[in-house]
């Protein structure tokens, strides 16, 4: 679908922005270009629609050399989304979405119908067509920016840090929404970002660049498992590498298999006895079949000991993970939600273990001191 | 009061002719100014180095007194309406040009990049992006210029172009106050009315989105 053949870009003054890049992508692939600023990722992207012309080498789209095409024609066949969104403030949403269609001389009714159809893709109601960009939130504006790039059903879409200017929550939801949309519409996406989390989340393949050179081009999993060199390792960050340790895949492998438990019919006084003996501040509550009921901790006991006598009277529900969950995801939820521990259950809600923050310490310790365990 | 009625009965129809002369001298000059300055202003944004030079040059021309400019065209074009219109046109070009240049230059670069990335030709960028967004600034230049030119057109009578300036000059040389007023008052009214009218035009050509944006801000 998209092919770079020994492409270089030398700017006036001899600065080599892109050096001998050779890459090939399939239709429907989501490709993220990533690297520190000035690495040539944006230049590479802009060469695809000839906003920047390559100095050497050729770029092919579906086997056709882009230099043989009229640049205006070429750009109309490629979607383009920029970080600053770039909606025209004097046009309403319908006019903005269907701008490329206007350039392609579609009649008005067809443009309106297409705009409506697209608006539906991002769950915006038809009344948005008459609104103006400044009346929309940043997230909504960029949704329109994305729709504008989809209007003429372009098979290839270029995106230059499209979610970079949005707040983290909006960014998260737009990323998810867009990934779904891309799969549904089977578009080929070239996506430039400097945010590794974003690349890992969205990309089918990640192209890592530095100083105009290609450093590594692989799937997110492969990059996490086998970073090409120290630069890539550094760029990914230790914490993400830890999460991707190949020999620690699922939670069972790192969990503590003997969590301290108590059954519901025990008295609170007994529970506090167990806590004291085992030196813990909370207990997981299970029934006689070892099915997890929830948890109690010292604060709960302290608050309610006047009214309650049994553990089952004060038990609180607890967030769990199921056996087989990837360690990567578990760590994320522990860290993000600020939980102290996560019980591990099987598919019948039977307690089989617990992952605590101490387990995380083990993993980080191993990754720093026990490098031999991470067989690259 | 009586003298006023007498004045009107004597000069009323002539005044209408002079007012009409005055108006069309000014408007033709402004019209030509728009025709030249707006495209030139857009073109200059494409070549910033040349733009600085041209702006500087026109700035110098602007400092030449209007009387001198009028006089300057006598040996070239003789007397009458044509040299007057040409001189006024020179005066109209600079403010319109400067405002067009500033307005178009002020359009966000990201919008132009978005346009280019979507596959707009150079002309489509001007037509769909730059002109609509610069319209408020361009119109401000046109309004200002028109009001000035209606004032300056008074001087044009000195080189035989006619217009309401005739009354003012003869009033001054004959010490006839009513003649001066018969020139000055219509000129003022003309300027005010034209500005009002152009205000309506401005409102009409400004895209709805920009008006709403201004209201929201």
């Amino acid at each position: 679908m998209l092919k770079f053949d020994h492409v270089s870009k030398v700017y006036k003054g001899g600065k080599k922005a892109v050096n001998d890049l050779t890459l090939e992508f399939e239709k429907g692939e989501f490709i993220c270009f990533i690297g520190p600023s000035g690495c040539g990722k944006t230049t590479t992207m802009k060469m695809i629609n000839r906003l920047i012309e390559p100095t050497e080498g050729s770029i092919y789209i579906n086997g056709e050399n882009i230099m043989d095409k009229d640049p205006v024609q070429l750009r109309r066949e490629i979607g383009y989304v920029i970080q600053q969104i770039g909606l025209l403030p004097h046009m309403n949403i319908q006019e903005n979405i269907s701008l490329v269609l206007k350039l392609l001389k579609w009649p008005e009714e067809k443009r309106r119908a297409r705009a409506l159809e697209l608006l539906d893709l991002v769950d915006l109601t038809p009344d948005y067509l008459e609104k103006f960009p400044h009346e929309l939130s940043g997230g909504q504006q960029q949704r329109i920016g994305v729709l504008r790039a989809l209007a003429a059903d372009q098979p290839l879409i270029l995106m230059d840090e499209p979610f970079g200017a949005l707040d983290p929550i909006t960014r998260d939801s737009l990323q998810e929404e867009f990934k779904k949309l891309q799969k549904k519409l089977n578009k080929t996406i070239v996506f430039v970002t400097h945010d590794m989390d974003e690349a890992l989340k969205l990309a089918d393949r990640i192209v890592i660049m530095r100083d105009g050179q290609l450093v590594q081009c692989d799937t997110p999993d492969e990059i996490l498992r086998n970073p090409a060199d120290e630069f890539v390792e550094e760029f990914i960050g230790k914490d993400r590498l830890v999460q991707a340790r190949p020999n620690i895949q699922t939670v069972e492998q790192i969990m503590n298999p003997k969590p301290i438990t108590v059954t519901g019919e025990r008295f609170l006084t007994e529970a506090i006895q167990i806590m004291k003996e085992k030196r813990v501040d909370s207990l997981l509550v299970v029934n006689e079949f070892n099915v997890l009921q929830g948890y109690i901790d010292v604060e709960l006991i302290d608050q309610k000991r006047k009214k309650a006598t049994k553990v089952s009277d004060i038990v609180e529900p607890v967030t769990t993970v199921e056996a087989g969950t990837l360690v990567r995801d578990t760590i994320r939820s522990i860290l993000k939600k600020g939980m102290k521990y996560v019980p591990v259950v099987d598919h019948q809600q039977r307690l089989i273990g617990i992952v605590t923050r101490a387990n995380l310490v083990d993993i980080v310790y191993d990754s720093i001191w026990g490098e031999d365990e991470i067989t690259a | 009061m009586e003298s006023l009625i007498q004045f009107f009965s004597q000069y009323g129809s002539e005044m209408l002719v002079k007012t009409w002369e005055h108006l069309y001298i000014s408007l033709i000059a402004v019209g030509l100014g728009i025709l030249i300055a707006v495209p030139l202003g857009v073109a200059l944004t494409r070549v910033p180095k040349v733009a600085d030079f041209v702006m500087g040059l026109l700035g110098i021309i602007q400092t030449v007194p209007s009387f001198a400019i009028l006089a300057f065209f006598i040996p070239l074009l003789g007397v009458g309406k044509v040299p007057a219109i040409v001189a006024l046109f020179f005066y109209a070009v600079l403010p319109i040009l400067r405002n067009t240049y500033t307005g178009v230059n002020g359009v966000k670069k990201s919008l132009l990049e978005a346009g280019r990335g979507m596959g707009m030709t150079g002309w489509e960028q001007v037509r769909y992006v730059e002109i609509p967004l610069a319209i408020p600034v361009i119109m401000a230049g046109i309004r200002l210029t028109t009001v000035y030119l209606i004032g300056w057109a008074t001087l044009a009578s000195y080189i035989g172009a006619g217009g309401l300036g005739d009354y003012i000059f003869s009033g001054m040389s004959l010490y006839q106050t009513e003649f001066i007023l018969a020139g000055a008052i219509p000129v003022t009214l003309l300027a005010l009315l034209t500005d009002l009218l152009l205000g309506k035009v401005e409102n009409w050509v400004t895209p709805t989105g920009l008006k709403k944006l201004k209201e929201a801000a």
Side-chain angles (χ1 to χ4, degrees):
Chain A
M1 162 84 198
L2 179 64
K3 192 173 140 198
F4 287 79
D5 188 17
H6 298 283
V7 174
S8 297
K9 174 68 193 178
V10 185
Y11 281 115
K12 269 181 249 164
K15 190 187 175 299
K16 219 162 195 179
V18 176
N19 193 2
D20 196 29
L21 196 67
T22 299
L23 285 166
E24 196 166 352
F25 304 111
E26 298 302 321
K27 179 170 167 43
E29 259 193 298
F30 198 127
I31 306 132
C32 279
F33 279 78
I34 194 166
S37 51
C39 71
K41 55 187 192 293
T42 305
T43 306
T44 307
M45 188 204 72
K46 286 186 179 175
M47 283 195 286
I48 300 172
N49 66 358
R50 288 183 63 183
L51 286 175
I52 295 174
E53 308 238 313
T55 317
E56 271 171 56
S58 337
I59 299 171
Y60 300 90
I61 296 177
N62 290 328
E64 228 179 325
N65 189 337
I66 59 163
M67 295 312 284
D68 298 338
K69 295 193 81 166
D70 172 52
V72 166
Q73 201 52 43
L74 175 79
R75 289 178 201 138
R76 287 179 186 176
E77 291 164 14
I78 299 174
Y80 190 50
V81 184
I82 59 173
Q83 184 182 1
Q84 305 88 335
I85 304 176
L87 296 183
L88 297 176
H90 61 288
M91 294 186 181
N92 67 22
I93 299 306
Q94 186 203 324
E95 291 167 311
N96 266 294
I97 294 180
S98 54
L99 198 55
V100 180
L101 305 179
K102 188 169 187 172
L103 300 179
L104 293 169
K105 308 259 184 315
W106 281 35
E108 160 71 21
E109 321 86 76
K110 273 180 85 183
R111 272 187 275 152
R112 187 177 172 82
R114 178 66 179 152
L116 267 172
E117 199 180 306
L118 287 161
L119 215 51
D120 193 46
L121 283 178
V122 293
D123 294 322
L124 288 174
T125 47
D127 57 308
Y128 274 89
L129 286 187
E130 317 302 334
K131 293 195 189 219
F132 285 93
H134 73 272
E135 298 170 307
L136 272 59
S137 70
Q140 288 172 333
Q141 286 187 23
Q142 192 56 299
R143 283 189 182 90
I144 302 301
V146 170
L147 293 186
R148 181 172 67 177
L150 295 169
D153 205 14
Q154 297 94 327
L156 173 64
I157 295 172
L158 310 181
M159 305 181 94
D160 189 2
E161 302 199 27
F163 307 138
L166 302 172
D167 66 88
I169 295 167
T170 313
R171 181 161 59 222
D172 244 34
S173 62
L174 247 73
Q175 284 166 348
E176 266 157 44
E177 221 178 286
F178 183 65
K179 181 72 188 172
K180 273 186 214 146
L181 203 59
Q182 183 259 344
K183 275 192 183 146
K184 186 166 144 195
L185 303 173
N186 197 30
K187 302 284 181 191
T188 312
I189 311 283
V190 174
F191 190 105
V192 169
T193 178
H194 62 260
D195 176 357
M196 199 39 143
D197 280 320
E198 187 168 63
L200 290 172
K201 191 168 168 185
L202 294 174
D204 296 320
R205 271 202 287 170
I206 299 176
V207 179
I208 302 177
M209 292 180 71
R210 178 182 51 172
D211 300 333
Q213 303 272 7
L214 171 71
V215 183
Q216 189 170 12
C217 170
D218 244 317
T219 61
D221 270 350
E222 200 48 41
I223 284 182
L224 284 171
R225 279 179 208 174
N226 299 315
D229 59 13
E230 269 180 25
F231 167 76
V232 177
E233 249 175 68
E234 192 98 334
F235 198 72
I236 299 170
K238 207 83 182 174
D239 57 328
R240 294 197 194 86
L241 284 176
V242 168
Q243 294 166 21
R245 282 186 62 182
N247 55 344
I248 302 176
Q249 279 293 325
T250 57
V251 281
E252 293 100 298
Q253 287 160 285
I254 62 158
M255 71 185 184
N256 172 356
K258 292 197 190 81
I260 299 152
T261 59
V262 66
T263 49
E265 61 270 18
R266 294 289 201 102
F267 291 105
L268 289 181
T269 44
E270 288 176 288
I272 205 86
Q273 204 75 40
I274 299 171
M275 284 186 187
K276 187 171 157 54
E277 255 167 51
K278 307 282 186 186
R279 314 297 310 158
V280 292
D281 67 350
S282 59
L283 297 171
L284 294 173
V285 181
V286 293
N287 68 9
E288 64 267 37
F289 306 111
N290 205 29
V291 172
L292 186 65
Q293 310 285 305
Y295 81 103
I296 58 166
D297 65 12
V298 66
E299 280 167 44
L300 279 171
I301 295 178
D302 192 36
Q303 279 167 19
K304 300 190 177 166
R305 72 194 145 122
K306 299 241 169 74
K307 282 176 257 164
T309 50
K310 284 193 171 179
V311 169
S312 56
D313 297 334
I314 63 166
V315 64
E316 289 279 324
V318 63
T319 315
T320 61
V321 293
E322 224 175 271
T325 311
L326 286 180
V327 171
R328 202 201 291 175
D329 302 332
T330 313
I331 293 179
R332 203 172 288 156
S333 56
I334 290 182
L335 294 179
K336 270 202 180 155
K337 294 177 187 155
M339 294 189 290
K340 283 185 275 185
Y341 57 84
V342 195
V344 183
V345 295
D346 66 11
H347 59 278
Q348 285 170 312
Q349 286 294 306
R350 278 185 305 227
L351 183 68
I352 55 172
I354 187 166
V355 178
T356 64
R357 291 193 156 223
N359 295 120
L360 299 189
V361 173
D362 292 343
I363 308 170
V364 176
Y365 178 91
D366 285 349
S367 71
I368 295 170
W369 302 103
E371 290 286 0
D372 52 328
E373 281 187 42
I374 312 170
T375 38
Chain B
M1 193 66 204
E2 221 169 274
S3 65
L4 200 67
I5 294 167
Q6 201 194 335
F7 184 89
F8 269 119
S9 63
Q10 197 174 343
Y11 294 105
S13 56
E14 194 194 50
M15 254 176 84
L16 282 180
V17 175
K18 298 259 184 228
T19 309
W20 166 243
E21 265 178 2
H22 197 99
L23 191 65
Y24 87 68
I25 291 172
S26 322
L27 291 190
I28 288 176
V30 174
L32 287 175
I34 295 172
L35 235 50
I36 298 295
V38 172
L40 193 61
V42 175
L44 282 179
T45 59
R46 302 299 194 268
V47 277
K49 276 179 198 158
V50 183
D52 288 344
F53 173 74
V54 173
M55 290 298 184
L57 191 73
L58 283 167
I60 292 168
I61 294 178
Q62 198 79 3
T63 61
V64 178
S66 27
F67 245 150
I69 291 253
L70 286 169
F72 177 76
F73 279 105
I74 295 175
L76 295 174
L77 297 165
V79 295
K81 291 195 168 52
V82 176
I85 288 172
V86 172
L88 289 174
F89 155 77
F90 265 80
Y91 262 89
V93 166
L94 186 73
I96 301 177
L97 183 69
R98 178 163 286 167
N99 276 38
T100 307
Y101 179 76
T102 315
V104 172
N105 235 9
V107 173
K108 278 197 201 131
K109 295 292 162 271
S110 60
L111 296 180
L112 290 178
E113 201 204 307
R116 210 156 86 88
M118 272 187 285
M120 285 190 183
T121 60
W123 163 244
E124 280 163 345
Q125 282 185 59
V126 173
R127 163 82 181 72
Y128 294 125
V129 185
E130 290 171 298
I131 294 286
L133 289 174
I135 269 288
V137 187
I138 297 175
M139 274 310 292
I142 292 175
R143 276 175 78 173
L144 189 77
T145 309
T146 313
V147 172
Y148 275 166
L149 243 55
I150 289 176
W152 282 329
T154 339
L155 299 176
S157 88
Y158 212 73
I159 58 167
L164 291 161
D166 284 355
Y167 287 133
I168 296 178
F169 281 113
S170 39
M172 284 202 302
S173 47
L174 300 170
Y175 291 109
Q176 295 265 12
T177 325
E178 57 262 47
F179 272 93
I180 297 179
L181 289 180
I185 293 172
V187 166
T188 314
L189 287 178
L190 211 55
L192 286 175
L193 279 175
T194 315
D195 191 49
L196 206 70
L197 208 68
L198 286 176
K200 294 251 185 286
V201 174
E202 180 177 344
N203 189 43
W204 178 62
V205 294
T206 306
T208 321
L210 288 190
K211 278 186 266 182
K212 283 198 169 185
L213 184 63
K214 209 174 152 194
E215 281 163 23

